[in-house]
Amino acid sequence: MSTFPQFNIPPELLQELSKYATPTGLADYAALAVLGGVGATYLSRGLLWDKPDPYHHLWFERPQLKNGGQLRSANKETRNIAQKLEEAGKNVVVFWGSQSGTAEGFAHRLAREISIRWGQDAMTADLSDYDPVTISEIPNAKLAIFVVSTYGEGDPSDNTAEFWSWISKATDVSLSNLRYAAFGLGNTNYKFYNRVVDVVVEGLDKFGAQALMPVGKANDAEGATEEDFMSWKEDLFKIFKDKLGFEEAEAKYIPSLKVEEDESLEPIDLHHGEPNSRIEAPKAAAQSSAVRTLSISESRELFTASDRHCLHMDIDLSSQPELGYKTGDHLAIWPGNPDIEVERLLDVLGISSRRDIPLGIKALDAAEKITIPTPTSSIALFRYYLEICAPVNRDNVRDLAQFAPTPEAKAYLLNLGQDKETYASFINRTHINLGRLLQLACPNKPWSNLPLSYLVETIPHIKPRFYSISSSSVVSPRKPSITAIVSTSPLPDNPNELIHGVTSNYLLAISQQARSQPHPGGITYHLNGPGDALEGGKVFAHIRRSKFKLPLTGKTPLVMVAAGTGLAPFRAFLSERCQVLKIGKEVGPMILFFGCRNPNEDYIYREELEEMQQALGERLQIVTAFSRLEGSPRQYVQDRVAEFGEDVVKLLDEGGNFYVCGRAGMAREVEKAVGLTMKDVKGWNDDEVNNWSKAIKKKNKWQEDVWG
């Protein structure tokens, strides 16, 4: 039965209305056609047009769930840090905010040493795992320590975002019960050196928190981060002893993890090296895709010098329809460790013959988070999950002495680890990793007393390396490309021995394999990957969203400054601008500043740039700087920016965007050069330049993609 209301309309009225409802001319029919089209278009939305991306949810997917993992929220763990401390029976919490993993590593080291050396039960806490306001509930009897990094233009790490927002904006908060210490990681090559820890401490103090000691700061500009941390840590421990009355005990390893063999498991049950791509912060989850197996469709050498290498690689997304990228995004590569270092560590530990035996990893401490997929094996640990090529920090050198197979090896490590100057001299000469150190300290006996749990707890875990995508998503939507310089540097005291960057040399080995040639340095890798998943020239990779973007309109002027492989995103920008011009749209004026050593050796993409310049005509000006051109004085991009300063200012005054990509030190010098030009051209003072700089960055008209 119909549920619509019934109306009794007189026949005479219907007849009269029909006169007006009947089309009488061409205009009426046209109007009806338009209205009908609009209606049909609206009704077909989501069916024929504006269809939702069926894979959109995968950008927000936490990949670890695919392998039977569980999110912390799925375990219904509390987000109240005070409650967590009480439940776990902890007296100290070390909060960490980390982008690259260094601050996270420091936090774990510190918590472990506080527990072992000072008898205070300590735990680490990812800042994104707890509601910031619950910090106010931590009682005065407990301690909070913050270890946070700064990157980019004074930005917090992804997992610090929620806490950063709260500490910056909260009102009516009391932290009068909170006793804390703080340590920041930064780099003076960046303009806003250690801004994040400064803001955190300012907020804590504003709300009445009690600082145990002055804030500590690490400066990575000269590689001093490790020693800066250790120096601050010793000052903290003096506070523990002198002010808090903690009693120091002999430092002896107490495992928080259990790593044991379990031969009942089958190979199919194991994680053989697939990346652990857990993304903990919501902000990070929104910025990164899931890790996928992607093919390298093409690879070519960009340098002409035989002793240096720079790779251009095209990555094929066709097998993964849910993946996509936008111009300016980053592509992350998950590397494997070289065979020689994997075999060295297996041999020195005396477990080479048991490399494939299944290993189970279990937490002995309720507050400990297992971040390596389990069950696994020793070969997978050393090949794919642990950074075994990294130099051994001084804390670990000293701690390793307790596991030494001989008194001589123990004395050697204690001498090396207890003296700052001795260690610094040694590490600068050798850049020694764990396997080499153990081999050197005791060459004739295996380190059978060194438990795998110690290595899993103390060696940094492998993280992906990010590369700026050097292709345009408009021109090449299914084949993003990356540009990777292969890192190989000689030891200061032994030029014949080289330090090989892990990921770039891994990529070089893949490139050489495609040509049926060995790696130039003789390094080999297990390129087929776990379970032969990477056979045929594939990599584990994912895409990360970036804010380093072209303006919405092609008419906006651009100033682009790059050195070396910093040219990568600008190749993409110019390629897109050429395409915009090709389809008949207007393109604004552009200047590209590019610096390298020598035009005959490392001027990457030179022919392509010349072709794009020809296509764009007067719209593009390319200005080069060569630092090692024989017979000519050294020039750097900042010098050329100053030389063409008036042209730069003109484009900025016309609403142009300014981009810098390369090393942080270069970016800082470029900003100085632009500031000096502003003073000369506009007659500004320092305050006016600073105010202009803040304003243009706030509007995203000045963007940087920098490192180191």
Side-chain angles (χ1 to χ4, degrees):
M1 183 176 178
S2 173
T3 59
F4 291 102
Q6 303 297 308
F7 298 98
N8 294 318
I9 302 175
E12 298 84 3
L13 181 57
L14 286 173
Q15 187 176 3
E16 186 66 24
L17 288 171
S18 68
K19 294 179 182 180
Y20 299 99
T22 305
T24 59
L26 182 62
D28 287 346
Y29 282 108
L32 284 172
V34 170
L35 289 172
V38 170
T41 300
Y42 178 80
L43 291 173
S44 66
R45 181 181 183 187
L47 297 173
L48 301 177
W49 69 283
D50 194 27
K51 292 190 291 185
D53 179 359
Y55 300 105
H56 181 68
H57 68 283
L58 293 174
W59 282 99
F60 305 92
E61 176 186 87
R62 303 220 177 169
Q64 64 273 27
L65 292 181
K66 287 188 169 296
N67 296 322
Q70 286 185 317
L71 288 175
R72 296 174 189 178
S73 59
N75 292 333
K76 296 185 178 179
E77 290 195 12
T78 179
R79 285 184 56 81
N80 184 313
I81 184 58
Q83 182 181 336
K84 180 66 176 181
L85 286 169
E86 192 65 31
E87 289 175 354
K90 302 297 182 182
N91 298 325
V92 182
V93 57
V94 184
F95 291 104
W96 58 267
S98 184
Q99 195 71 12
S100 66
T102 306
E104 179 183 2
F106 283 167
H108 289 303
R109 282 170 56 187
L110 182 59
R112 187 165 50 248
E113 192 165 354
I114 290 172
S115 297
I116 294 171
R117 186 171 166 185
W118 295 97
Q120 300 295 316
D121 289 327
M123 63 172 281
T124 58
D126 179 337
L127 279 166
S128 68
D129 279 349
Y130 299 95
D131 293 325
V133 69
T134 64
I135 291 174
S136 63
E137 299 176 27
I138 297 175
N140 187 256
K142 301 184 186 295
L143 302 179
I145 300 172
F146 296 84
V147 181
V148 292
S149 63
T150 299
Y151 82 103
E153 283 295 314
D155 298 320
S157 62
D158 291 336
N159 77 306
T160 310
E162 183 182 2
F163 176 77
W164 172 268
S165 178
W166 175 78
I167 201 75
S168 303
K169 300 176 183 178
T171 57
D172 299 325
V173 174
S174 174
L175 297 178
S176 58
N177 282 329
L178 185 71
R179 296 185 298 166
Y180 82 93
F183 183 77
L185 286 75
N187 187 318
T188 51
N189 282 330
Y190 292 88
K191 183 176 181 180
F192 297 99
Y193 167 65
N194 259 311
R195 176 176 178 239
V196 172
V197 76
D198 286 340
V199 170
V200 167
V201 167
E202 181 182 344
L204 294 173
D205 292 346
K206 179 178 67 176
F207 296 136
Q210 309 160 43
L212 294 175
M213 59 187 293
V215 61
K217 295 181 180 180
N219 182 9
D220 198 42
E222 296 180 359
T225 296
E226 181 69 39
E227 286 298 335
D228 289 340
F229 170 71
M230 292 183 67
S231 177
W232 171 83
K233 177 165 63 77
E234 289 306 315
D235 290 341
L236 174 67
F237 290 166
K238 287 179 183 177
I239 298 291
F240 282 3
K241 183 177 182 179
D242 298 340
K243 290 188 177 181
L244 302 183
F246 293 170
E247 292 187 9
E248 186 174 5
E250 181 184 357
K252 187 176 181 181
Y253 174 59
I254 302 173
S256 60
L257 295 174
K258 185 177 183 180
V259 181
E260 62 180 354
E261 295 182 351
D262 184 354
E263 297 191 60
S264 67
L265 296 170
E266 298 294 331
I268 196 172
D269 299 323
L270 307 185
H271 294 271
H272 296 284
E274 305 83 359
N276 178 21
S277 55
R278 66 190 181 97
I279 301 172
E280 297 161 340
K283 183 177 178 182
Q287 288 182 334
S288 295
S289 74
V291 176
R292 292 290 183 259
T293 302
L294 302 177
S295 296
I296 298 173
S297 60
E298 182 186 348
S299 175
R300 67 179 190 270
E301 176 67 62
L302 297 177
F303 283 175
T304 57
S306 59
D307 60 335
R308 298 175 64 222
H309 300 274
C310 185
L311 301 173
H312 171 95
M313 287 185 157
D314 292 323
I315 313 297
D316 191 352
L317 302 182
S318 59
S319 65
Q320 305 291 340
E322 77 276 14
L323 288 191
Y325 76 100
K326 298 295 183 184
T327 306
D329 285 345
H330 299 125
L331 189 129
I333 301 290
W334 293 77
N337 287 313
D339 293 336
I340 187 173
E341 299 302 340
V342 173
E343 295 299 328
R344 187 194 312 276
L345 194 49
L346 288 169
D347 287 342
V348 78
L349 294 175
I351 57 173
S352 184
S353 63
R354 305 186 67 77
R355 65 181 64 203
D356 297 315
I357 301 297
L359 295 175
I361 304 175
K362 298 177 182 178
L364 298 176
D365 185 331
E368 187 71 23
K369 305 298 181 184
I370 298 174
T371 58
I372 287 178
T374 182
T376 185
S377 63
S378 299
I379 188 68
L381 279 176
F382 298 155
R383 189 177 277 162
Y384 297 111
Y385 292 133
L386 299 179
E387 290 273 14
I388 65 171
C389 294
V392 186
N393 65 66
R394 189 157 61 88
D395 273 347
N396 283 0
V397 171
R398 188 175 56 228
D399 290 346
L400 285 167
Q402 64 188 293
F403 309 114
T406 66
E408 292 79 14
K410 181 176 183 178
Y412 177 83
L413 292 177
L414 287 175
N415 176 64
L416 186 59
Q418 289 174 345
D419 186 76
K420 177 180 176 180
E421 301 303 325
T422 301
Y423 171 83
S425 173
F426 173 78
I427 208 72
N428 288 336
R429 286 185 288 107
T430 59
H431 193 81
I432 203 161
N433 58 35
L434 178 64
R436 295 180 183 225
L437 177 65
L438 298 180
Q439 203 173 50
L440 184 65
C442 186
N444 300 318
K445 286 189 177 182
W447 288 68
S448 52
N449 293 328
L450 178 55
L452 283 176
S453 58
Y454 177 84
L455 302 184
V456 172
E457 288 185 59
T458 58
I459 298 180
H461 297 176
I462 282 185
K463 293 185 180 292
R465 275 60 163 183
F466 291 93
Y467 295 90
S468 298
I469 294 178
S470 54
S471 57
S472 161
S473 59
V474 171
V475 178
S476 181
R478 303 307 300 162
K479 286 192 176 181
S481 63
I482 59 172
T483 309
I485 190 166
V486 178
S487 173
T488 303
S489 54
L491 289 171
D493 290 351
N494 186 4
N496 294 322
E497 188 170 350
L498 303 176
I499 305 167
H500 297 281
V502 173
T503 307
S504 60
N505 281 278
Y506 173 73
L507 291 174
L508 179 58
I510 296 173
S511 177
Q512 292 294 98
Q513 183 189 54
R515 301 181 180 87
S516 300
Q517 296 177 355
H519 185 287
I523 306 173
T524 61
Y525 297 81
H526 187 68
L527 297 180
N528 282 355
D532 291 334
L534 305 180
E535 188 175 8
K538 297 177 183 177
V539 290
F540 289 122
H542 71 267
I543 293 167
R544 183 177 71 180
R545 298 299 192 199
S546 167
K547 297 178 182 178
F548 199 75
K549 299 294 185 185
L550 278 166
L552 293 176
T553 172
K555 294 188 291 185
T556 303
L558 306 180
V559 178
M560 299 164 283
V561 185
T565 54
L567 181 61
F570 301 139
R571 175 183 182 265
F573 285 10
L574 293 175
S575 178
E576 191 153 314
R577 281 282 170 103
C578 286
Q579 186 67 16
V580 168
L581 183 65
K582 190 175 181 179
I583 62 175
K585 292 188 177 181
E586 190 175 345
V587 169
M590 297 167 283
I591 303 179
L592 169 66
F593 294 93
F594 173 64
C596 63
R597 294 184 181 184
N598 189 306
N600 300 317
E601 294 180 2
D602 54 0
Y603 190 163
I604 60 176
Y605 300 120
R606 182 173 185 172
E607 292 181 0
E608 289 186 27
L609 289 175
E610 290 171 350
E611 290 173 4
M612 288 191 279
Q613 186 173 36
Q614 187 173 0
L616 292 165
E618 295 181 354
R619 300 172 186 83
L620 174 63
Q621 182 180 10
I622 298 178
V623 180
T624 54
F626 303 117
S627 61
R628 300 188 187 180
L629 181 60
E630 190 175 350
S632 299
R634 292 194 173 195
Q635 279 191 325
Y636 299 96
V637 284
Q638 58 265 31
D639 303 324
R640 300 292 269 165
V641 169
E643 184 180 338
F644 286 79
E646 292 188 8
D647 294 334
V648 170
V649 172
K650 180 175 181 294
L651 292 188
L652 294 178
D653 284 344
E654 292 173 358
N657 281 19
F658 196 101
Y659 299 91
V660 187
C661 187
R663 292 201 168 274
M666 177 273 290
R668 184 187 60 188
E669 294 303 317
V670 166
E671 185 171 357
K672 284 182 183 178
V674 174
L676 290 172
T677 301
M678 284 293 186
K679 288 182 178 181
D680 292 340
V681 173
K682 297 181 178 289
W684 287 352
N685 58 32
D686 288 339
D687 288 340
E688 288 171 314
V689 170
N690 287 333
N691 290 336
W692 168 82
S693 177
K694 290 178 183 177
I696 194 173
K697 289 176 180 177
K698 190 173 183 179
K699 297 175 184 176
N700 284 327
K701 302 288 286 180
W702 183 298
Q703 298 181 34
E704 296 182 357
D705 187 356
V706 298
W707 56 87

